[in-house]
Amino acid sequence: MQKKARVIFLILLDAFLINLSYYIALYLRFDGNIEANYLKVYINNALIITLLKIIVFHYFKLYKSLWRYASIDELLNVVVASIVANAGVISYLFALQTHLPRGVYAITIMLDMLLIGGVRFSYRALRRVNGGILSNGNGYKHIMIIGAGDAGAMVIRELKNHTQLNSRPVAIIDDDFLKEGQRINGVPVMGRRVDIATIADKMNIDEIIIAIPSASKSEIRSIVNECKKTKCKLKILPGMYELIDGKVSIKEIREVQIEDLLGRDEINLDIDEISGYLKGKRVLVTGGGGSIGSELCRQIAKFNPNELCILDIYENNAYDLQNELKRKYEDLNLRVFIASIRDKKRIDEIMKDIRPDVIFHAAAHKHVPLMEDNPKEAIKNNVFGTLNLAQAADTYGVKRFVMISTDKAVNPTNIMGASKRICEMIIQSIDKKSETEFVAVRFGNVLGSNGSVIPLFKKQIMEGGPVTVTHPEIIRYFMTIPEAAQLVIQAGAMAKGGEIFVLDMGEPVKIIDLARDLIKLSGFEPDADIPIVFTGLRQGEKLFEELLLDEEGIQSTAHEKIFIGKPIFADYKLMLKSIDTLKEIIDSCDGSALRDYVQQIVPTYNKNNTGDTNVSSNGAYVEVSASR
């Protein structure tokens, strides 16, 4: 109702201004003594002239623009609309074989532009003045913009337009020394990246917005490191794709996230290679509702599979993902199966039904402390479940089977890692006797995945602390969920059978540094506002994770972030015999006996690890990275 009232008001106002323009034009043309015959011509046609111009203005959408955000585009629209409207009036009058003096037409066009455009832009100007007056009151925020490019200029304009945010851009930072001292929308470029802390203190900056959507992750990390020297709240405008057609808005400015600090650039995928084994194929993702599984589904959907099948035991996650994919990909042939990979009969039924070409096996129990307390469940789900799937894949002629593994499978110190090492051994051994290409992809921690350290830290910060870290020296390798999923899919395209693909996890990250970064990004000071407490390493936990067994070696691939560890286990019959014994032990013995036998299968498994240190025989910390 309010919108309609605004449109009606503008139409009535324009009708008045249109007639005012003609009157002033006639008055100026005849120096105040308007000739009666011309005045009569105008009065007789005033209604038609007014309606004609209103129709043209409507066609040019002058009644749909939000004039509080009026810019040069709206001004040009008014100019063109005025010219077209007056051309229409001239044509109409000549069709009636009547006319006004030519000078009147020229003056009217200029007056239309001045009056029609002026009224609209005066509204914005008044808002700007009122906003400036309000911003000089108590409680407004001083904003620093990093980036003096198009994105920075648009952010400044948006902030000035949204006066209700009570945010006032007062300084711009840019490393281009030629821009220093210049102004963008009235805001001065005051210095370069190294000056952030000094200028923030000088200008009493409350909030910093990074507006360089084309910047690499490493560059963003460098900027954020400078910003961390201040006590300002950090926000960022992410992604070039969000600036298409100038679509920058306040909604797109978000908090800086820990993913922005990884310093890892975007993944380059071989689209042709991936499309070759996914496009038009039937693809099954186990654990499809989980963190990695769901992202695999999102990525796979982009490659137009013939059918995408999600298998998960937890219906809520699968249901949410199903709805999401249906919204985004209306033509996607999607099926969801609720099942446990431990149920061999059910797995066989599903495989016989869909007969997938490719399987991504992401279903697993992964939480180290929980599995330490429930070792039998780790073996039942991870080992027996993987065997069920692998055997079904072999039986039903699956072309490619890609299993998600973990760095915890290397020299494992916990039952979860040991169970995943057995899964790798199953994959490597069955590959030798099967037409299916079985491979595993091994990587470290994934930022933001269910049960990972990041959500835990965020929850602890939200509750006021303390943030708990097990050990001041503990480090982990991290990558984002999309990055991990993309590399898994790329590795699957390279599969020949039997490989363990090892992903380059980048530089290791100290968990204590991660905790401090999260606290600062949340607007608090570590130890002052939010305390950090060391709780000690848990049973089965290492200081350093490894990505490669010594005997596996390392081989590069065509992709700079994917490496191959050579197969070191191939006795499938021995594997089956060992798993039969595992089943007997689970049915009749306790967890201690189970761990003893798992150590026989996986000689590198240290079941007696107490979580104190990760040391080699000479006392040095063990730290192995695929990138070295």
Side-chain angles (χ1 to χ4, degrees):
M1 192 69 184
Q2 186 177 6
K3 182 179 178 181
K4 286 184 178 180
R6 182 177 64 84
V7 171
I8 292 171
F9 171 76
L10 277 175
I11 290 173
L12 293 174
L13 181 59
D14 284 351
F16 170 75
L17 295 175
I18 288 166
N19 288 279
L20 181 61
S21 293
Y22 276 102
Y23 182 81
I24 294 174
L26 286 165
Y27 186 87
L28 293 175
R29 170 63 179 77
F30 293 104
D31 295 325
N33 297 311
I34 304 173
E35 293 185 10
N37 59 320
Y38 287 123
L39 184 59
K40 185 178 180 182
V41 168
Y42 173 70
I43 292 173
N44 289 341
N45 295 282
L47 180 60
I48 301 300
I49 289 173
T50 303
L51 288 175
L52 186 60
K53 286 195 173 184
I54 294 295
I55 290 170
V56 172
F57 292 168
H58 183 269
Y59 176 79
F60 278 88
K61 298 181 172 56
L62 298 194
Y63 303 115
K64 289 190 176 180
S65 294
L66 292 174
W67 292 99
R68 71 181 66 178
Y69 308 132
S71 65
I72 191 68
D73 293 332
E74 282 75 20
L75 177 59
L76 290 174
N77 209 30
V78 169
V79 170
V80 175
S82 298
I83 293 171
V84 171
N86 281 282
V89 169
I90 294 170
S91 300
Y92 162 72
L93 292 176
F94 270 87
L96 292 179
Q97 295 185 340
T98 185
H99 62 88
L100 295 170
R102 292 176 184 175
V104 171
Y105 298 136
I107 296 170
T108 301
I109 292 174
M110 290 186 286
L111 287 171
D112 278 353
M113 294 177 188
L114 179 64
L115 296 175
I116 302 296
V119 165
R120 285 157 169 79
F121 278 83
S122 63
Y123 177 66
R124 178 184 176 181
L126 286 171
R127 285 182 58 86
R128 180 69 59 82
V129 170
N130 288 337
I133 293 171
L134 289 173
S135 68
N136 288 323
N138 294 326
Y140 75 94
K141 293 182 292 185
H142 278 173
I143 308 296
M144 174 188 286
I145 307 295
I146 298 180
D150 291 339
M154 286 185 280
V155 168
I156 291 169
R157 188 173 69 237
E158 285 281 289
L159 288 173
K160 288 189 172 183
N161 286 337
H162 290 79
T163 54
Q164 70 275 15
L165 295 176
N166 213 14
S167 297
R168 180 183 171 196
V170 296
I172 303 172
I173 295 293
D174 197 284
D175 282 343
D176 185 351
F177 70 93
L178 294 176
K179 294 180 179 178
E180 193 167 343
Q182 297 184 11
R183 287 179 174 266
I184 297 177
N185 290 334
V187 182
V189 179
M190 300 187 68
R192 287 178 273 178
R193 188 182 310 179
V194 294
D195 304 315
I196 288 174
T198 303
I199 295 171
D201 182 59
K202 177 182 177 182
M203 301 300 294
N204 295 318
I205 300 297
D206 300 296
E207 185 173 290
I208 299 173
I209 298 176
I210 302 171
I212 316 176
S214 60
S216 66
K217 289 292 182 69
S218 56
E219 188 176 1
I220 292 296
R221 180 176 178 84
S222 173
I223 292 171
V224 170
N225 284 337
E226 289 296 325
C227 293
K228 287 193 307 189
K229 297 175 183 177
T230 74
K231 293 185 179 181
C232 304
K233 192 169 185 179
L234 292 182
K235 289 189 176 180
I236 191 169
L237 178 70
M240 281 293 293
Y241 66 94
E242 292 180 286
L243 299 182
I244 296 173
D245 297 327
K247 293 179 180 177
V248 175
S249 74
I250 293 298
K251 292 186 295 184
E252 289 158 359
I253 299 173
R254 61 165 171 79
E255 305 287 335
V256 173
Q257 298 169 357
I258 199 67
E259 289 85 347
D260 297 315
L261 306 186
L262 269 179
R264 295 168 64 89
D265 293 330
E266 298 301 319
I267 300 298
N268 295 315
L269 298 179
D270 188 334
I271 302 301
D272 292 335
E273 190 176 28
I274 293 172
S275 296
Y277 87 105
L278 292 180
K279 187 176 182 179
K281 300 296 194 298
R282 293 182 299 276
V283 183
L284 170 66
V285 180
T286 72
S291 303
I292 296 296
S294 62
E295 186 60 29
L296 281 170
C297 291
R298 294 183 190 100
Q299 300 287 344
I300 292 166
K302 299 176 183 178
F303 292 97
N304 299 314
N306 176 271
E307 184 175 67
L308 175 57
C309 301
I310 300 170
L311 187 151
D312 204 292
I313 194 172
Y314 185 49
E315 62 177 310
N316 291 348
N317 283 349
Y319 176 74
D320 290 341
L321 180 62
Q322 180 185 43
N323 289 334
E324 176 190 334
L325 292 176
K326 281 183 175 179
R327 286 194 306 272
K328 290 184 178 178
Y329 305 96
E330 295 180 0
D331 297 329
L332 178 65
N333 185 12
L334 181 66
R335 299 177 70 184
V336 177
F337 297 90
I338 303 302
S340 169
I341 59 173
R342 290 157 60 165
D343 187 341
K344 183 175 177 60
K345 183 178 179 182
R346 173 67 171 147
I347 292 300
D348 284 341
E349 287 175 354
I350 293 171
M351 295 289 282
K352 184 178 180 180
D353 176 13
I354 63 178
R355 293 185 179 270
D357 299 296
V358 182
I359 294 177
F360 289 93
H361 175 34
H365 286 330
K366 66 175 185 177
H367 298 297
V368 170
L370 284 178
M371 293 304 102
E372 285 300 286
D373 293 336
N374 301 274
K376 292 183 179 181
E377 295 307 306
I379 299 299
K380 286 179 186 178
N381 194 69
N382 295 355
V383 176
F384 300 162
T386 296
L387 182 64
N388 290 340
L389 280 165
Q391 290 178 333
D394 176 44
T395 300
Y396 294 103
V398 173
K399 172 65 176 172
R400 196 163 296 174
F401 185 107
V402 182
M403 187 195 83
I404 309 300
S405 189
T406 171
D407 55 359
K408 293 175 177 61
V410 181
N411 299 322
T413 55
N414 52 70
I415 197 69
M416 191 284 286
S419 71
K420 293 298 284 185
R421 176 58 194 148
I422 296 174
C423 293
E424 292 180 349
M425 295 164 71
I426 291 172
I427 294 304
Q428 289 186 315
S429 61
I430 196 174
D431 178 75
K432 297 302 179 184
K433 50 106 26 205
S434 175
E435 293 297 318
T436 302
E437 296 167 346
F438 287 93
V439 299
V441 181
R442 186 190 289 162
F443 52 89
N445 298 275
V446 178
L447 282 172
S449 62
N450 294 329
S452 70
V453 70
I454 303 301
L456 173 62
F457 284 171
K458 286 181 177 178
K459 184 177 180 181
Q460 290 175 334
I461 292 168
M462 188 171 60
E463 293 173 350
V467 170
T468 57
V469 177
T470 55
H471 193 285
E473 297 300 322
I474 192 168
I475 68 167
R476 289 293 182 265
Y477 296 95
F478 285 100
M479 63 170 51
T480 63
I481 293 175
E483 182 182 13
Q486 289 169 9
L487 285 175
V488 166
I489 292 172
Q490 182 71 71
M494 300 175 177
K496 298 290 189 295
E499 302 101 327
I500 292 182
F501 290 98
V502 182
L503 305 187
D504 176 7
M505 297 295 295
E507 294 299 317
V509 178
K510 265 192 170 186
I511 301 300
I512 181 64
D513 292 339
L514 203 62
R516 289 190 177 116
D517 282 344
L518 269 174
I519 291 170
K520 285 190 73 69
L521 291 177
S522 301
F524 301 105
E525 278 296 311
D527 299 317
D529 301 321
I530 303 288
I532 297 175
V533 175
F534 297 107
T535 58
L537 292 178
R538 297 168 294 188
Q539 180 69 31
E541 189 173 39
K542 298 180 182 181
L543 272 180
F544 302 94
E545 297 291 2
E546 305 155 81
L547 291 168
L548 202 66
L549 291 167
D550 291 337
E551 61 268 32
E552 286 177 323
I554 189 71
Q555 178 184 340
S556 62
T557 69
H559 197 286
E560 61 182 2
K561 294 190 177 183
I562 301 176
F563 300 84
I564 298 176
K566 66 183 180 182
I568 59 174
F569 185 85
D571 195 333
Y572 182 58
K573 289 184 179 179
L574 177 60
M575 189 76 259
L576 292 181
K577 184 178 179 181
S578 298
I579 289 176
D580 286 339
T581 304
L582 272 176
K583 290 178 180 177
E584 293 174 5
I585 292 174
I586 282 177
D587 291 339
S588 59
C589 300
D590 60 15
S592 177
L594 177 62
R595 285 187 170 88
D596 289 340
Y597 190 70
V598 167
Q599 191 172 46
Q600 292 183 40
I601 302 174
V602 184
T604 57
Y605 170 41
N606 179 8
K607 66 184 180 67
N608 296 317
N609 179 67
T610 60
D612 293 333
T613 56
N614 249 34
V615 293
S616 63
S617 57
N618 63 3
Y621 286 121
V622 176
E623 184 181 351
V624 183
S625 169
S627 61
R628 293 177 181 164

